Amino acid sequence: MNDNSMLAPAAGKSLLADSSVFDSKITETSKDNLFAGSADIDEEMPQIETRVVLVEDAGRNDELIKALETVKVMEVPVIKIKENCPEKSRESFIKSIVNMEIKVPCIKTDSVEEFVEADTPEFESVFVISDFQKPAYRFLYKADCRVLGPPIIIYCAQKGEPLPFTSRPLYCASMLNLVLCFTGFRKKEELVKLVTLVHHMGGTIRKDFSSKVTHLIANSTHGDKFRVAVSLGTPIMKADWIIQAWEKRNELEFSATNEEFKSKFKVPPFQDCILSFLGFSDEDRVSMEEMTEMQGGTFLSVGDEKCTHLVVEENSVKELPFEPPKKLYVVKQEWFWGSIQMDARAGETMYLFEKNDSPALKKSVSLLSLNTPSSNRKKRRLKDTLAQLTRETDLTPFPPRKRPSAEHSLSIGSLLDISNTPESGKSFSDTPKISKPSKISTPVPQQSARWQVAMELYQTESNYVDILTTIVQLFQLPLEKEGQLGGPILAPEEIKTIFGSIPDILDVHTNIKGDLEKLMIDWAESKSIGDIILTYSKDLVKIYPPFVNFFEMSKEMIIKCEKQKPRFHAFLKINQSKPECGRQTLVELLIRPVQRLPSVALLLNDLKKHTADDNPDKVMLEKAIESLKEVMMHINEDKRKTEGQKQIFDVVYEVDGCPANLLSSHRILVQRVETIALGEDLCDRGEQVTLFLFNDCLEIARKRHKGIGAFKSPHGTRPQACLKHIYLMPLSQIKKVLDIKETEECHNAFALVVRPPTEQTNQLFSFQLTTEELPKVDWLKMLCRHVANTICKADAENLIYSTDPDSLEVSTKDVDSTLSRASRAIKKTSKKVTRAFSFTKTPKRALQRALMVQNADGRSPGPSSEGFASCRMPSTTSLALLIHGVSTPTTCCGFFR
């Protein structure tokens, strides 16, 4: 070092002007202030003996001793003393922390007094103790010794870090790097206990709240600290969070910031609040009362003196039924939902309910109650007042909830009757305004019918873009925003499912609106509207099918999340009550894209009617209409395929043992029919059989027997399999379809002549159709048509043959009688008994081994080893008698004599 200074260890308080500067690696004294050149430090610093002392139980902790073998370094505080400065001046000390090698890593003792008494600046000792409640700990604490707990030692070993220096005892790292602030605590003993535990877990405390505070510990929801924490989005926790974290101090992997653990101790939004509700329907009030209890509050009836908040439905309540006391907050319902959304009690001043006798409202009423003005000044004042009140009215591009949209009204008398839009301030006879009047000049009052339809197309397109913009800006973007108060409301995949391709639809229709606006600004009868639609037809094909086909899934996701996530429910309540939404729900807004293309097609048809034949736009309109039809056909086809794929998955879940190769991208479910088996080939006669006809195969399944347990998904979401797979038959195997004639003993029967590839002869499968909705003739024609398509034949009708039931020995008589059911039950029981006493489940090798053992006991093994290999296996009866030691009088391929 260049200056004439010296280094000394900071032992005790004698050398530290302010011992708190070393508090748990705080920023005021960081490792960045290490002295340059460790060699210089070693030269100028006196030799210090660094050691770790294990007290009592800690010396018998094998895991701790092993960890100490890994930790080679410890942090040591040092002070640089400047010369030529007053000895007691604060400026004469420069404090820092250096890393020093641990020379004595493990000293075990049951008595700490000797080490404390011998503690001098030449020693830097770290005492490790397992229990911070024992007398040994209290002795060390009073002696101002460095005390650590076993978890922090093991933590440092795992992280490869040196033993930390702290002026306070440190047990574990559960709250390492956390900065806490307290509010609302009146008992000093309680606060001291909590602060001590935080220090033991590695956290730090700040008296004043600032942006550096990571968590606020609140015993009350009042006060400036609480309000600032809410505004900054700082988590507000209960004191139990600290206590329960301390209970887990010996769990090495535990962190107090674990979301699942931390969520249990967050201060709920309505803690210390007693709410009452005014102006709500009974259903809404009950729902809000339940939500209040879920969010930590209580509720009472309106007018109760104990209430702290009166939540008012501002749209239905014009005057309070009583004079509220000063301590009562009278707030709008937005305060209630906003508090739930951000998971903390919102500030009441922003949501106060204004009574009808407010000064601002009184002034407006007094101006409106004037007699007929006698001067121009009064007229202008009244006109301005009316205009101001009109602007404050909730005029939006959204139609009323139970009123049909102007988009679907195509009569001439209602073409411009968009009474629910901001542009509807004038009657039909007046020239309507467009949303951007500065760009569109006022047209001549008398306009053609073609212009009027074109104007309605533009108006509806403008309103549609406004709706899409509201969906994106009011709902989607806030949900996707990072750093939301209280954390994300929805997961990214849930947001994607709900909104889908809405942003893409908005981009395309914004461009369409812009082109229509330019056309209306420079209107001429020869202007082509059809060309604008054709320009974007390919984009419409790309963006609409994904949204329309998955709209039901989007709707189901909204309903599901609203039920399961109170914050999302509150988010919807807040935004759906805003004027931009026109009192419509998110689901009602999201259905607009589903309805838009048919509306445009109707308007284009109307526009074509009012377009002259010699107008070039006539042909373009026809092409535009056809392009929209193609888009809608593509949507319907895509939707049909999507639903078909979903139906196949339903079949797989419903049929136990269904082959996996049934799932195919080209396969669709055509028809499902219920039948009864009339033969014994596939299953027992009289069993209920379900036939699933696909475009290229036929899945045959029978009803499951009651005694057999059905498959259940481990997540409990799959439907219970009620059918059992029998046979998946490619339609190419069906050679003939037999229509069995109707007789007294045979009704609604048919049969299939099938040639499986593994069989040399045809097989006959006969059924009785029990599905009442589908006639047998239609079913057979449908089946033959798909068989013909599979084998590439044009004459599907030639596959049907009519035959008598007697020639096939087929009868439906008594097929479902009591006697028939009893017979089937006896057969099933017989099969079960046979399986129970059968040895066929025994592996073949085990049977051969049993026979070899029997032969080794003195019986002839047969003519030769080849004869053994070529002979058939003995019957199960013979084996049973053999196993029980009973000799058999018969021989089996020479094995038994």
Side-chain angles (χ1 to χ4, degrees):
M1 294 186 180
N2 297 329
D3 58 347
N4 297 323
S5 60
M6 60 175 293
L7 293 175
K13 297 180 180 179
S14 59
L15 293 178
L16 291 180
D18 183 6
S19 62
S20 65
V21 297
F22 290 110
D23 182 12
S24 187
K25 301 184 186 179
I26 60 177
T27 56
E28 289 84 346
T29 305
S30 66
K31 295 180 182 179
D32 297 334
N33 299 325
L34 293 177
F35 304 138
S38 59
D40 294 339
I41 295 177
D42 293 336
E43 292 175 0
E44 300 189 27
M45 174 174 282
Q47 293 299 319
I48 299 175
E49 184 176 348
T50 54
R51 58 189 183 182
V52 178
V53 181
L54 304 183
V55 182
E56 298 177 349
D57 294 341
R60 295 181 284 275
N61 189 332
D62 295 335
E63 185 180 7
L64 174 61
I65 297 173
K66 186 176 180 181
L68 281 171
E69 296 174 357
T70 305
V71 180
K72 303 294 184 182
V73 180
M74 65 188 297
E75 293 179 353
V76 177
V78 295
I79 292 177
K80 180 180 179 182
I81 304 176
K82 290 184 179 181
E83 293 186 354
N84 302 324
C85 288
E87 184 177 353
K88 296 184 179 180
S89 173
R90 181 179 292 269
E91 288 76 11
S92 63
F93 302 116
I94 299 179
K95 311 178 187 76
S96 186
I97 295 176
V98 296
N99 291 338
M100 291 188 179
E101 184 179 355
I102 300 176
K103 296 182 179 180
V104 184
C106 185
I107 299 176
K108 301 178 183 179
T109 182
D110 289 332
S111 176
V112 296
E113 287 80 1
E114 56 178 313
F115 292 95
V116 173
E117 293 173 357
D119 193 17
T120 66
E122 286 75 26
F123 290 95
E124 183 64 26
S125 301
V126 174
F127 296 89
V128 182
I129 187 167
S130 299
D131 190 352
F132 278 16
Q133 303 296 325
K134 288 190 175 182
Y137 164 78
R138 291 193 289 269
F139 180 82
L140 292 171
Y141 179 72
K142 291 180 180 179
D144 199 22
C145 298
R146 290 181 64 174
V147 182
L148 298 179
I152 193 64
I153 304 289
I154 299 173
Y155 172 86
C156 292
Q158 293 176 347
K159 299 292 183 180
E161 298 179 358
L163 295 185
F165 171 80
T166 172
S167 60
R168 298 185 178 91
L170 177 62
Y171 188 85
C172 62
S174 301
M175 289 190 173
L176 197 64
N177 300 323
L178 298 188
V179 182
L180 277 60
C181 186
F182 290 81
T183 183
F185 291 87
R186 302 301 179 190
K187 297 180 180 179
K188 182 179 179 180
E189 297 78 8
E190 180 184 8
L191 184 59
V192 169
K193 176 184 176 182
L194 294 174
V195 169
T196 302
L197 293 181
V198 172
H199 287 148
H200 288 347
M201 292 185 284
T204 56
I205 306 297
R206 289 290 179 269
K207 180 180 179 181
D208 299 322
F209 190 90
S210 67
S211 59
K212 294 181 180 180
V213 173
T214 60
H215 297 78
L216 177 68
I217 312 301
N219 197 37
S220 172
T221 57
H222 306 285
D224 295 337
K225 290 182 180 180
F226 185 88
R227 295 266 60 88
V228 175
V230 171
S231 63
L232 294 179
T234 304
I236 305 173
M237 312 299 296
K238 298 178 182 178
D240 290 342
W241 176 54
I242 298 174
I243 296 173
Q244 293 301 318
W246 178 248
E247 293 293 328
K248 296 177 177 288
R249 60 188 179 276
N250 291 314
E251 298 180 16
L252 298 178
E253 301 298 328
F254 171 75
S255 173
T257 56
N258 178 274
E259 286 298 330
E260 184 178 356
F261 174 78
K262 192 169 70 170
S263 61
K264 301 176 183 178
F265 304 101
K266 283 187 176 180
V267 173
F270 300 135
Q271 179 173 304
D272 303 331
C273 296
I274 304 175
L275 278 57
S276 57
F277 301 92
L278 178 64
F280 299 93
S281 64
D282 292 342
E283 181 181 358
D284 289 343
R285 179 180 53 78
V286 171
S287 175
M288 295 173 79
E289 288 174 349
E290 292 175 353
M291 194 74 69
T292 300
E293 291 184 330
M294 289 175 56
Q295 300 299 324
T298 56
F299 62 89
L300 293 172
S301 58
V302 175
D304 195 297
E305 295 180 355
K306 298 179 182 179
C307 287
T308 59
H309 295 75
L310 174 63
V311 184
V312 178
E313 212 293 321
E314 61 272 17
N315 296 314
S316 60
V317 176
K318 303 303 179 184
E319 188 174 347
L320 297 179
F322 63 95
E323 183 66 25
K326 293 183 178 181
K327 66 177 183 178
L328 178 67
Y329 288 108
V330 182
V331 293
K332 302 175 184 178
Q333 61 172 325
E334 190 175 355
W335 171 85
F336 179 85
W337 299 116
S339 299
I340 297 175
Q341 178 188 327
M342 62 184 183
D343 205 17
R345 183 161 67 90
E348 291 83 0
T349 54
M350 297 176 59
Y351 304 97
L352 292 178
F353 175 73
E354 295 180 357
K355 297 181 291 184
N356 287 342
D357 57 352
S358 62
L361 190 58
K362 281 184 175 180
K363 181 178 179 181
S364 300
V365 172
S366 64
L367 290 174
L368 289 174
S369 62
L370 293 173
N371 295 327
T372 304
S374 57
S375 64
N376 292 332
R377 183 175 59 81
K378 290 184 178 181
K379 288 182 180 179
R380 283 196 302 269
R381 187 194 305 169
L382 179 58
K383 184 177 180 180
D384 292 342
T385 303
L386 289 172
Q388 181 180 358
L389 292 176
T390 302
R391 284 194 298 270
E392 293 172 355
T393 307
D394 292 344
L395 295 175
T396 72
F398 300 89
R401 185 184 294 269
K402 296 185 179 181
R403 179 175 176 178
S405 171
E407 293 182 8
H408 304 288
S409 180
L410 298 179
S411 62
I412 297 298
S414 64
L415 286 178
L416 298 178
D417 184 18
I418 312 176
S419 58
N420 55 332
T421 65
E423 295 79 28
S424 60
K426 298 185 180 182
S427 63
F428 175 74
S429 60
D430 296 327
T431 303
K433 289 184 180 180
I434 302 183
S435 57
K436 294 185 179 180
S438 60
K439 291 186 178 181
I440 302 179
S441 58
T442 305
V444 180
Q446 295 297 330
Q447 289 289 352
S448 64
R450 173 176 161 81
W451 178 88
Q452 293 178 355
V453 180
M455 179 60 73
E456 182 178 9
L457 177 62
Y458 170 76
Q459 287 278 18
T460 55
E461 186 70 17
S462 178
N463 291 343
Y464 179 56
V465 170
D466 290 341
I467 292 173
L468 295 177
T469 302
T470 298
I471 294 174
V472 172
Q473 294 184 353
L474 204 61
F475 293 94
Q476 185 176 1
L477 294 182
L479 289 173
E480 293 176 342
K481 182 180 178 182
E482 295 182 359
Q484 301 175 34
L485 296 178
I489 296 176
L490 294 181
E493 57 271 15
E494 293 171 334
I495 298 173
K496 181 63 178 176
T497 302
I498 290 174
F499 297 100
S501 59
I502 282 288
D504 299 327
I505 297 175
L506 173 59
D507 292 340
V508 172
H509 281 274
T510 300
N511 295 333
I512 294 176
K513 174 193 171 185
D515 292 348
L516 289 175
E517 185 175 292
K518 294 176 184 177
L519 184 143
M520 297 305 298
I521 291 173
D522 301 322
W523 172 258
E525 290 293 325
S526 59
K527 294 281 186 177
S528 178
I529 294 178
D531 187 53
I532 295 176
I533 304 300
L534 286 173
T535 302
Y536 298 97
S537 59
K538 292 183 179 180
D539 295 326
L540 297 177
V541 172
K542 293 179 183 178
I543 60 178
Y544 269 96
F547 181 82
V548 175
N549 294 335
F550 292 96
F551 171 72
E552 288 300 323
M553 187 182 299
S554 171
K555 189 168 100 176
E556 291 173 1
M557 179 60 71
I558 293 174
I559 296 173
K560 174 186 173 184
C561 291
E562 193 172 5
K563 288 181 178 179
Q564 297 180 353
K565 302 188 176 185
R567 292 183 61 208
F568 180 63
H569 177 72
F571 173 81
L572 293 182
K573 284 288 187 180
I574 292 172
N575 290 291
Q576 289 169 177
S577 63
K578 292 181 179 179
E580 299 95 304
C581 289
R583 299 181 180 278
Q584 295 191 69
T585 65
L586 179 58
V587 173
E588 291 171 332
L589 296 178
L590 286 173
I591 202 174
R592 293 307 184 89
V594 180
Q595 303 169 340
R596 181 57 186 163
L597 291 185
S599 299
V600 174
L602 290 175
L603 285 171
L604 292 181
N605 271 314
D606 201 4
L607 190 64
K608 188 180 75 170
K609 293 177 184 178
H610 297 91
T611 302
D613 294 338
D614 57 349
N615 192 322
D617 195 29
K618 185 90 170 183
V619 178
M620 301 305 293
L621 284 172
E622 292 176 351
K623 292 182 179 180
I625 293 170
E626 287 301 318
S627 70
L628 287 181
K629 289 182 179 178
E630 290 179 5
V631 174
M632 289 185 282
M633 287 178 60
H634 186 82
I635 291 173
N636 293 333
E637 179 67 19
D638 200 44
K639 186 175 183 180
R640 186 180 64 81
K641 289 181 180 179
T642 303
E643 291 176 348
Q645 292 294 320
K646 184 176 179 297
Q647 289 174 342
I648 295 179
F649 276 101
D650 292 340
V651 172
V652 173
Y653 293 150
E654 187 178 3
V655 179
D656 183 28
C658 185
N661 59 0
L662 181 67
L663 296 172
S664 177
S665 58
H666 73 278
R667 185 167 291 138
I668 58 173
L669 179 63
V670 178
Q671 185 65 45
R672 168 181 178 158
V673 294
E674 303 295 335
T675 66
I676 295 177
L678 299 179
E680 301 282 349
D681 299 283
L682 294 172
C683 57
D684 294 336
R685 184 177 184 273
E687 282 208 70
Q688 298 180 17
V689 176
T690 302
L691 305 180
F692 297 95
L693 175 62
F694 296 90
N695 57 323
D696 63 341
C697 63
L698 184 70
E699 165 64 20
I700 304 175
R702 63 170 174 81
K703 186 176 180 181
R704 292 197 65 136
H705 301 150
K706 293 182 179 179
I708 301 177
F711 169 77
K712 291 184 180 179
S713 168
H715 302 291
T717 55
R718 255 181 216 178
Q720 199 174 34
C722 57
L723 299 174
K724 179 70 175 177
H725 168 73
I726 298 178
Y727 186 30
L728 180 60
M729 180 192 302
L731 295 184
S732 58
Q733 295 182 9
I734 300 178
K735 304 305 177 183
K736 293 180 181 180
V737 177
L738 304 181
D739 181 7
I740 302 176
K741 296 179 180 178
E742 298 290 320
T743 63
E744 292 183 359
E745 296 187 351
C746 189
H747 176 66
N748 224 20
F750 68 96
L752 305 177
V753 178
V754 180
R755 172 74 68 86
T758 57
E759 300 292 337
Q760 298 297 324
T761 59
N762 292 334
Q763 293 183 342
L764 182 70
F765 301 146
S766 54
F767 307 91
Q768 181 187 23
L769 187 67
T770 58
T771 302
E772 298 179 356
E773 297 80 9
L774 183 67
K776 184 178 74 170
V777 177
D778 295 342
W779 157 246
L780 296 180
K781 287 182 179 179
M782 182 188 303
L783 175 61
C784 290
R785 183 171 68 253
H786 287 281
V787 171
N789 292 339
T790 303
I791 61 179
C792 300
K793 277 191 175 182
D795 50 347
E797 298 292 336
N798 294 335
L799 293 173
I800 301 180
Y801 294 84
S802 181
T803 183
D804 293 324
D806 295 337
S807 62
L808 301 178
E809 297 182 355
V810 173
S811 173
T812 61
K813 185 177 181 181
D814 299 331
V815 73
D816 198 31
S817 63
T818 304
L819 182 61
S820 177
R821 289 196 296 270
S823 176
R824 291 198 301 274
I826 292 173
K827 287 183 180 180
K828 292 174 187 175
T829 305
S830 176
K831 288 182 179 179
K832 292 179 181 178
V833 172
T834 303
R835 285 196 296 267
F837 290 96
S838 174
F839 291 90
T840 58
K841 292 184 179 181
T842 307
K844 183 179 179 181
R845 292 176 61 86
L847 291 177
Q848 291 176 344
R849 193 177 298 115
L851 292 174
M852 293 176 67
V853 171
Q854 179 69 19
N855 292 329
D857 291 337
R859 294 176 175 80
S860 173
S864 65
S865 60
E866 294 181 359
F868 176 82
S870 61
C871 71
R872 63 183 177 88
M873 297 299 297
S875 66
T876 56
T877 305
S878 301
L879 285 175
L881 295 173
L882 174 65
I883 292 173
H884 289 85
V886 181
S887 61
T888 58
T890 60
T891 62
C892 182
C893 295
F895 282 107
F896 305 107
R897 298 294 183 185

